[in-house]
Amino acid sequence: MIRALYSAASGMTAQQLNIDNIANNLANANTAGYKTRRAQFQDLLYQNVVTPGSSAGQSTIIPSGLQLGLGTRASSNEIIFTQGSFSSTGNPLDLVIQGNGFFQIQQASGTTAYTRAGSFQLNATGTLVTANGNPLQPQITIPPTAQSITIATDGTVTYTLTGQIQAQNAGQITLANFQNPAGLNSIGQSLYLPTDASGDATIGTPGGTEGLGTLQQGYVEESNVSVVDEFINLITSQRAYEANSKVVKAADEMYQQVNNLKQ
Amino acid sequence: MDSISISAASGMRARMESLELLANNLANVETGGYKADREFYSLYSSLDATADPLTGEITTLPVIEKHWTDFSQGDFHATGNQLDFAIDGGGLFGINTPRGVRYTRNGNFRIGTGGALTAADGSPVRALGGGQIVLQPGVAVEVLPDGSVQQGGVVSGQMELVSFDPATFNKAGVNYYAAAPGATAKPGTGTVVQGKLESSNVGAAESAVRLVAILRQFEMLQKAMLIGNDLNRAAIQEVAKVT
């Protein structure tokens, strides 16, 4: 009977975590480059009340026993790396990756982080940086006299100077890819760090054979959060929470009746 | 105790176990690939029970001696993830876990270190014959209904789909089933569907009805027990009264 109470409690805890996850997805519905996360659950251990295969008599054995499960727990909330939709901004430094790649960002600590959010800006020295001021790797520097900046689908960055027809090459943007992107570690600010589970980054140029995808200039990638799906998840999760709380109540009522047996 | 109290107590205990099964089902209402457990009431008669000389009936008590797992299909929900798989029909995916081969209906797979297709806990998915399925990074994965995994038209392996006689395998926790020793695996009859996951087959509405039913049956048995107690009390206090 206590098992029923704890199983239901584990169900309520799991649904609470599910709602935490849904809340974060919805909060980031408008975060460019955000990838939705999906909570996954698994059942817990089973208690053998009657072990299958034990003998029921001298000549008979019990074909299937009685196993009582002990509830559920959240196993993971994996990142779903489906492509988000593109919205046009007209800003020449807004980039989207049409494919599986990641931009490489050098953090203040010197380590490289990876992101899908490609809204870049120029800093005081003309270097391409993220909104937080961390430079894109490999570094691209545009002189202040540059007129138009063009980033080709293969990552080549060119600009023209006033009065010149010839385009100047500013560098080449490269992208990274991982064996298992779902194993990346989110560190906030739309950045990811590689882990043992994700594997090391494979670097390549956009449009190459590594499946990194191509770049599109003048667009940002919206989050891939489906608000409708999240609301449906929210409803089912809330109802599941409610159902588990009803079991707690039922178990409590049954206890009460047992206690009332002694008058 | 008299027979009313014994029968009622036995029934109450059985309903408590029913509630425990139901609590576990409802706790796993969002667990992918979970299959609901149902109770199986049976009658217990002790080995040395003798038939009633008047009616010829053997004294029996209601107990839950075993449960059965409802393997009916759960609903599919589309996830858009190319590494999510569901089985339409009978069968289970084989997984090579460190504790031996386990089976699951939860096809929430991913790519592990070294490129192997793995279950959520990192254990590799079994290919036909027991090996692994190794994938190339960054290349779209396409899975045919028979479980063959293709990348760019090249077959990387075929997922193993097996089925068992329900009596010969049991739940092992963490979404796995373990086969009993000596159980024979048959090829699964279902087809693999890519980009979808199978939800738990626990029906919320049906479970609510079961919950009410268990609660009311328990209440009735409790009343029966109280009546038995009243009869006993009357027998002790009234019948044996010396006037």
Side-chain angles (χ1 to χ4, degrees):
Chain A
M1 194 65 177
I2 288 288
R3 284 184 292 239
L5 278 175
Y6 282 115
S7 293
S10 78
M12 290 170 81
T13 315
Q15 294 312 324
Q16 234 166 25
L17 194 136
N18 199 3
I19 288 182
D20 289 347
N21 184 55
I22 293 165
N24 186 49
N25 284 341
L26 282 173
N28 284 299
N30 280 338
T31 305
Y34 177 79
K35 296 295 170 194
T36 190
R37 298 186 84 112
R38 186 182 59 201
Q40 290 287 335
F41 301 94
Q42 55 188 206
D43 50 0
L44 290 177
L45 292 176
Y46 283 75
Q47 202 169 23
N48 282 319
V49 179
V50 179
T51 312
S54 59
S55 60
Q58 279 181 344
S59 57
T60 52
I61 59 160
I62 296 167
S64 67
L66 174 59
Q67 287 187 300
L68 292 174
L70 298 176
T72 186
R73 70 162 186 174
S75 58
S76 66
N77 64 344
E78 55 170 328
I79 312 167
I80 310 289
F81 279 101
T82 53
Q83 187 90 55
S85 55
F86 296 164
S87 66
S88 168
T89 62
N91 183 348
L93 296 179
D94 282 343
L95 297 175
V96 293
I97 305 167
Q98 206 165 5
N100 297 323
F102 291 85
F103 294 110
Q104 306 157 73
I105 308 294
Q106 190 183 353
Q107 294 181 281
S109 61
T111 55
T112 306
Y114 301 87
T115 186
R116 291 280 301 183
S119 294
F120 296 106
Q121 293 157 21
L122 293 178
N123 70 3
T125 57
T127 307
L128 221 53
V129 294
T130 65
N132 294 313
N134 293 325
L136 176 72
Q137 273 188 330
Q139 285 200 8
I140 308 283
T141 308
I142 311 277
T145 50
Q147 284 304 304
S148 68
I149 304 166
T150 309
I151 298 169
T153 55
D154 67 354
T156 316
V157 185
T158 52
Y159 59 88
T160 51
L161 294 171
T162 325
Q164 287 187 6
I165 302 164
Q166 192 70 38
Q168 308 287 316
N169 192 334
Q172 165 79 43
I173 295 175
T174 58
L175 297 177
N177 196 9
F178 298 91
Q179 188 119 33
N180 175 25
L184 288 170
N185 178 19
S186 294
I187 55 166
Q189 300 172 347
S190 302
L191 297 174
Y192 301 99
L193 286 182
T195 64
D196 282 348
S198 70
D200 288 329
T202 334
I203 315 290
T205 52
T209 53
E210 297 94 340
L212 295 164
T214 53
L215 294 181
Q216 294 287 332
Q217 189 182 16
Y219 292 90
V220 288
E221 185 178 1
E222 301 288 329
S223 80
N224 66 347
V225 176
S226 160
V227 175
V228 175
D229 283 355
E230 294 302 326
F231 275 129
I232 288 169
N233 290 343
L234 186 64
I235 291 168
T236 56
S237 182
Q238 201 182 352
R239 289 297 174 205
Y241 188 86
E242 199 178 340
N244 278 294
S245 76
K246 287 270 192 287
V247 173
V248 172
K249 211 171 155 207
D252 180 43
E253 270 177 49
M254 280 164 77
Y255 263 136
Q256 197 184 356
Q257 287 174 2
V258 171
N259 285 341
N260 287 342
L261 283 175
K262 168 79 182 76
Q263 290 176 320
Chain B
M1 280 203 290
D2 63 305
S3 60
I4 294 181
S5 302
I6 292 170
S7 295
S10 180
M12 285 168 85
R13 204 193 130 188
R15 296 310 180 284
M16 282 180 169
E17 285 174 353
S18 291
L19 184 73
E20 281 161 5
L21 285 174
L22 185 74
N24 187 50
N25 285 344
L26 276 173
N28 284 295
V29 75
E30 296 266 322
T31 303
Y34 179 81
K35 298 291 172 197
D37 288 321
R38 308 264 188 248
E39 64 273 33
F40 192 93
Y41 288 102
S42 56
L43 292 172
Y44 173 78
S45 60
S46 78
L47 286 175
D48 53 353
T50 48
D52 188 299
L54 293 176
T55 60
E57 282 175 4
I58 297 173
T59 312
T60 54
L61 296 171
V63 288
I64 300 176
E65 261 180 1
K66 52 187 179 180
H67 72 284
W68 57 282
T69 304
D70 177 4
F71 278 100
S72 61
Q73 184 87 50
D75 292 338
F76 286 170
H77 65 268
T79 62
N81 186 341
Q82 60 171 4
L83 294 179
D84 282 341
F85 305 101
I87 301 173
D88 185 6
L92 299 135
F93 295 111
I95 311 287
N96 284 323
T97 72
R99 287 151 288 142
V101 184
R102 295 286 183 270
Y103 302 92
T104 186
R105 289 281 292 188
N106 183 0
N108 170 226
F109 296 151
R110 46 202 76 178
I111 300 177
T113 43
L117 187 67
T118 69
D121 65 353
S123 302
V125 175
R126 267 170 82 85
L128 271 185
Q132 300 186 353
I133 299 166
V134 179
L135 302 174
Q136 306 299 318
V139 185
V141 177
E142 195 193 345
V143 171
L144 302 180
D146 68 350
S148 302
V149 183
Q150 290 190 344
Q151 281 187 302
V154 183
V155 177
S156 330
Q158 187 176 0
M159 294 181 205
E160 184 188 56
L161 276 194
V162 292
S163 64
F164 290 96
D165 177 7
T168 60
F169 74 121
N170 272 296
K171 289 187 176 180
V174 292
N175 292 341
Y176 287 140
Y177 295 87
T184 46
K186 292 171 290 186
T189 52
T191 54
V192 178
V193 183
Q194 190 177 14
K196 292 196 164 95
L197 281 180
E198 186 179 2
S199 312
S200 146
N201 71 344
V202 178
E206 187 207 356
S207 299
V209 173
R210 277 172 192 272
L211 185 65
V212 173
I214 291 170
L215 202 57
R216 293 298 164 226
Q217 287 170 6
F218 190 85
E219 211 173 328
M220 276 189 274
L221 289 162
Q222 190 243 9
K223 286 279 186 295
M225 198 161 193
L226 288 178
I227 290 169
N229 284 350
D230 282 348
L231 289 176
N232 275 345
R233 190 188 300 120
I236 294 163
Q237 292 180 346
E238 306 293 330
V239 177
K241 192 177 281 180
V242 182
T243 49

